[in-house]
Amino acid sequence: MKISISIIVPAHNEGSYIAKSLSSIQNCCVNYSGKTEIIVVDNHSSDNTNEIASTFDVNVIRTIAKTPSKVRNDGAALAQYEIFAFVDGDCEVNGQWLELINKAYQDTSVGAYGGQHIAPLEDNSIVTSWNPTSLKSSLDNKGKLPGGNFSIRSSLFKQIGGFNEQLTSAEDDHLSKQVVLANFKCVLDSNNYIVHWGYPKTLAAVFVKQKWHGKTQIKAHGYFGDKLVLVTYAWLLAIMTTFIGVISDVKLFTAFGVLGLFFGPLIILINRLKYHHHIKWLNIPVGYLVALFFISGRLSGLLLEFNDILKKHIRLNNN
């Protein structure tokens, strides 16, 4: 018997993509023999997202939630089926998306299941040099699922308490970790990819998005619980070492600092390229530039989080 699936689609100003997203989901539902429902959660859009979504046979609700976690949780609060499947409003699912979800949950040890995002082939080089257009085949039973392609047993979701609404980002990583801590598999399957149309298409947009992501890195992962956080620390150290070397005229310090500045983005780029099935070598210089803006944004967000932590500590001491 097919598992019943509630599909929850968070959307904020996705007028350019929501029709593509909902069309792909509905086509999947038509070809799936199990019960499905589609809930679009319009997070206070100022464009025509709500109007477009309302032309589809879906349940559209509106929210003024302040975090993506709350938006997803608001949709889940109305969902009625055995599996909650979250897919972002700027993403297009593949034709086997629901069948693969159904197959995964035949294993009772699977608590959550999802796949990665790929970029559209026709996107610009800033997008395709950084994000894969096809994926290497892989399966990870303790994976970190992206929130834009994240399914979970509804009973487990409720047991855990849903997405952590105190986090403005990395809520998907946090929930993935909770699934594993609850002794369930959290399966990241490259075969269940979705196409993400809303990737940042300029270097400035990459920086802004990663600055936003970086503001809750420590809250989500702890001070030393994530590799990207550690790389960001190392890059900050490289900046400080370079600065000290220049002002003190210590060439060895300067040399070590400059090497760190170069290798920080390179390490991130190499780690990113491991997901690409086909690497376009001519795009490597652009990819390095994207990695530079990526880590700069992460560092900016991390410094903002440090500032918030310090302010909180001072307030607690004053009280």
Side-chain angles (χ1 to χ4, degrees):
M1 180 177 291
K2 293 295 181 73
I3 291 175
S4 300
I5 303 173
S6 296
I7 302 160
I8 300 157
V9 186
H12 173 70
N13 289 341
E14 302 295 358
S16 299
Y17 308 115
I18 191 68
K20 190 185 298 287
S21 177
L22 293 179
S23 293
S24 69
I25 294 169
Q26 283 196 330
N27 287 338
C28 246
C29 291
V30 168
N31 295 320
Y32 181 70
S33 59
K35 292 181 180 179
T36 59
E37 63 175 348
I38 304 171
I39 302 168
V40 176
V41 190
D42 177 16
N43 184 24
H44 203 57
S45 294
S46 57
D47 66 357
N48 59 350
T49 296
N50 189 277
E51 289 77 9
I52 295 173
S54 297
T55 65
F56 288 81
D57 184 20
V58 300
N59 182 11
V60 182
I61 65 170
R62 304 201 77 171
T63 180
I64 53 172
K66 294 182 179 179
T67 65
S69 300
K70 181 68 165 65
V71 178
R72 293 189 174 102
N73 287 345
D74 285 349
L78 297 178
Q80 60 179 321
Y81 289 140
E82 185 179 350
I83 301 298
F84 294 167
F86 299 88
V87 55
D88 285 350
D90 59 354
C91 294
E92 182 180 4
V93 303
N94 73 77
Q96 294 299 306
W97 187 66
L98 288 175
E99 291 291 349
L100 288 169
I101 290 173
N102 175 73
K103 182 179 178 181
Y105 288 106
Q106 302 306 312
D107 180 351
T108 56
S109 68
V110 172
Y113 173 80
Q116 295 156 327
H117 297 175
I118 64 171
L121 283 169
E122 59 266 43
D123 236 328
N124 67 29
S125 61
I126 289 175
V127 174
T128 57
S129 65
W130 184 250
N131 304 287
T133 55
S134 61
L135 297 164
K136 296 178 181 177
S137 180
S138 64
L139 193 72
D140 185 352
N141 287 330
K142 293 184 179 179
K144 292 180 180 178
L145 308 186
N149 188 11
F150 195 125
S151 72
I152 184 171
R153 294 187 187 275
S154 58
S155 56
L156 180 59
F157 185 84
K158 293 168 184 176
Q159 174 189 322
I160 292 172
F163 288 97
N164 186 338
E165 295 180 7
Q166 302 304 310
L167 299 175
T168 57
S169 67
E171 73 286 349
D172 42 10
D173 289 352
H174 183 268
L175 185 57
S176 298
K177 183 178 180 181
Q178 300 310 305
V179 170
V180 174
L181 290 175
N183 295 316
F184 284 91
K185 293 178 184 177
C186 187
V187 182
L188 180 64
D189 181 5
S190 64
N191 289 318
N192 203 16
Y193 64 87
I194 60 175
V195 179
H196 185 195
W197 289 89
Y199 278 123
K201 302 185 191 312
T202 66
L203 293 174
V206 170
F207 177 88
V208 170
K209 183 171 183 178
Q210 294 311 314
K211 180 180 177 181
W212 175 74
H213 276 298
K215 289 192 294 185
T216 52
Q217 291 177 90
I218 295 171
K219 197 170 186 178
H221 302 292
Y223 285 96
F224 304 104
D226 182 69
K227 292 178 182 178
L228 183 54
V229 174
L230 297 178
V231 173
T232 308
Y233 288 157
W235 208 61
L236 174 60
L237 181 61
I239 293 173
M240 295 170 62
T241 303
T242 303
F243 179 74
I244 292 170
V246 169
I247 64 172
S248 61
D249 199 27
V250 179
K251 291 183 173 56
L252 187 62
F253 263 49
T254 304
F256 273 116
V258 169
L259 279 174
L261 290 177
F262 172 77
F263 278 107
L266 184 61
I267 290 169
I268 290 177
L269 176 61
I270 291 171
N271 183 68
R272 191 77 178 184
L273 289 175
K274 72 182 182 183
Y275 299 107
H276 291 234
H277 189 213
H278 299 292
I279 298 174
K280 297 179 180 178
W281 296 104
L282 291 176
N283 278 347
I284 294 297
V286 179
Y288 182 84
L289 196 58
V290 174
L292 181 61
F293 277 76
F294 180 99
I295 195 171
S296 298
R298 284 280 174 159
L299 178 57
S300 180
L302 184 68
L303 293 175
L304 288 173
E305 187 173 16
F306 276 142
N307 185 56
D308 290 341
I309 292 171
L310 181 60
K311 286 180 178 178
K312 185 177 180 180
H313 181 71
I314 292 171
R315 283 198 305 270
L316 289 173
N317 285 341
N318 288 340
N319 293 334

